[in-house]
């Protein structure tokens, strides 16, 4: 059973566009929601993370929007660049838990 | 560079064989996590160790086992290998026992079972 559901599976945008990746969860005990970026041949790297006490968090061109009542969160990439082409994973974990539950990933391609 | 080192990078072996994957965590990190990444399943949590003790188990098969040594490096042992075990295996480390702190991933070991 997939604890975190992620969509879309793949996404193609033009340079400068704003790709949006969505994730949903069911476990209300989740209280930490990170996004990881993975380039081919590399391990996932933490991009940005949010806790449910805020509805939005920005770091540079990356923004997480969080909707606690809907149990959904999303990643927006402003002014996307070809270098942003990678696979993005959302994840979630609960306090006191010891592991992250990952979504199935979104392969983003930014066309020059 | 995340500071997490995994060896080997690639491994090709036959069905029925046993292999050992090795992970050295970031300096100072006490928690080590193992994940399996396959095309259709994404990243699946296998097992976690904290300071030498097993702390959590995920979707780890009985044919798989792991341990963390006193120097904090960890090994994942995969036995009686099947074609379906072909995947990328990632190790991650973090400073604290709980999730909710940043986990740093190694570059993975690509296992191919033929």
């Amino acid at each position: 059973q997939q604890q975190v559901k992620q969509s879309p599976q793949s996404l193609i945008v033009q340079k400068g566009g704003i790709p949006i990746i969505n994730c949903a969860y069911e476990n209300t005990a989740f209280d930490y929601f990170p996004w990881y970026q993975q380039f081919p041949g590399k391990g996932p790297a933490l991009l940005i993370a949010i806790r449910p006490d805020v509805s939005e968090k920005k770091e540079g061109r990356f923004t997480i929007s969080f909707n606690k009542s809907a149990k959904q969160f999303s990643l927006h990439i402003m002014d996307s660049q070809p270098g942003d082409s990678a696979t993005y994973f959302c994840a979630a974990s609960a306090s006191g838990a010891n592991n992250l539950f990952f979504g199935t990933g979104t392969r983003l391609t930014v066309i020059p | 560079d995340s500071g997490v080192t995994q060896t080997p990078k690639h491994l090709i072996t036959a069905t029925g064989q046993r292999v050992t994957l090795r992970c050295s965590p970031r300096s100072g990190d006490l928690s080590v996590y193992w994940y399996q990444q396959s095309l259709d399943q994404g990243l699946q949590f296998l097992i976690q160790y904290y300071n030498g003790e097993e702390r959590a188990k995920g979707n780890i098969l009985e044919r798989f086992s792991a341990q963390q040594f006193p120097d904090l490096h960890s090994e994942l042992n995969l036995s009686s290998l099947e074609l379906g075990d072909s995947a990328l295996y990632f190790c991650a480390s973090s400073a604290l026992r709980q999730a909710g702190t940043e986990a740093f991933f190694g570059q993975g070991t690509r296992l191919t079972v033929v």
Side-chain angles (χ1 to χ4, degrees):
Chain A
Q1 181 187 359
Q2 197 68 30
Q3 297 256 3
V4 179
K5 296 183 179 178
Q6 183 172 347
S7 64
Q9 195 171 17
S10 63
L11 193 50
I12 301 174
V13 300
Q14 296 276 355
K15 177 184 173 182
I18 306 175
I20 300 172
I21 305 170
N22 300 299
C23 286
Y25 64 97
E26 288 297 325
N27 189 343
T28 54
F30 287 154
D31 61 0
Y32 175 69
F33 303 91
W35 284 88
Y36 280 79
Q37 180 188 54
Q38 185 179 26
F39 292 104
K42 303 290 186 182
L46 180 67
L47 192 61
I48 185 173
I50 197 169
R51 295 189 186 274
D53 52 344
V54 296
S55 60
E56 186 176 275
K57 183 174 181 179
K58 290 184 181 181
E59 284 187 7
R61 296 184 293 108
F62 300 93
T63 298
I64 300 179
S65 297
F66 185 81
N67 186 329
K68 188 175 182 178
S69 60
K71 290 183 285 186
Q72 295 175 347
F73 58 110
S74 60
L75 177 70
H76 298 60
I77 305 176
M78 310 301 289
D79 187 27
S80 59
Q81 301 296 312
D84 296 329
S85 297
T87 300
Y88 293 82
F89 292 93
C90 61
S93 72
S95 293
N98 297 293
N99 59 289
L100 290 163
F101 294 94
F102 282 87
T104 50
T106 297
R107 180 171 291 184
L108 171 66
T109 303
V110 181
I111 300 170
Chain B
D1 183 4
S2 67
V4 178
T5 304
Q6 288 188 249
T7 56
K9 280 192 174 180
H10 303 277
L11 199 49
I12 301 175
T13 190
T15 55
Q17 295 298 304
R18 171 189 167 97
V19 296
T20 298
L21 313 183
R22 183 188 169 101
C23 169
S24 294
R26 285 191 329 150
S27 177
D29 284 356
L30 300 180
S31 274
V32 169
Y33 308 79
W34 285 97
Y35 287 84
Q36 180 191 57
Q37 185 177 37
S38 54
L39 281 175
D40 58 346
Q41 293 290 323
L43 280 155
Q44 298 290 317
F45 169 69
L46 296 178
I47 197 165
Q48 185 224 0
Y49 279 82
Y50 177 79
N51 202 20
E53 294 184 6
E54 180 185 305
R55 278 310 193 184
K57 263 188 175 180
N59 300 320
I60 188 166
L61 300 172
E62 285 191 10
R63 301 182 285 109
F64 296 1
S65 65
Q67 54 185 326
Q68 186 179 28
F69 295 87
D71 66 353
L72 301 178
H73 91 270
S74 178
E75 292 181 355
L76 179 67
N77 301 295
L78 315 176
S79 61
S80 302
L81 285 166
E82 302 174 359
L83 295 177
D85 297 327
S86 296
L88 268 168
Y89 291 84
F90 285 103
C91 166
S93 74
S94 68
L96 299 179
R97 187 176 68 200
Q98 290 82 9
T101 57
E102 182 171 0
F104 295 85
F105 282 77
Q107 295 203 6
T109 293
R110 181 175 294 279
L111 173 66
T112 303
V113 183
V114 298

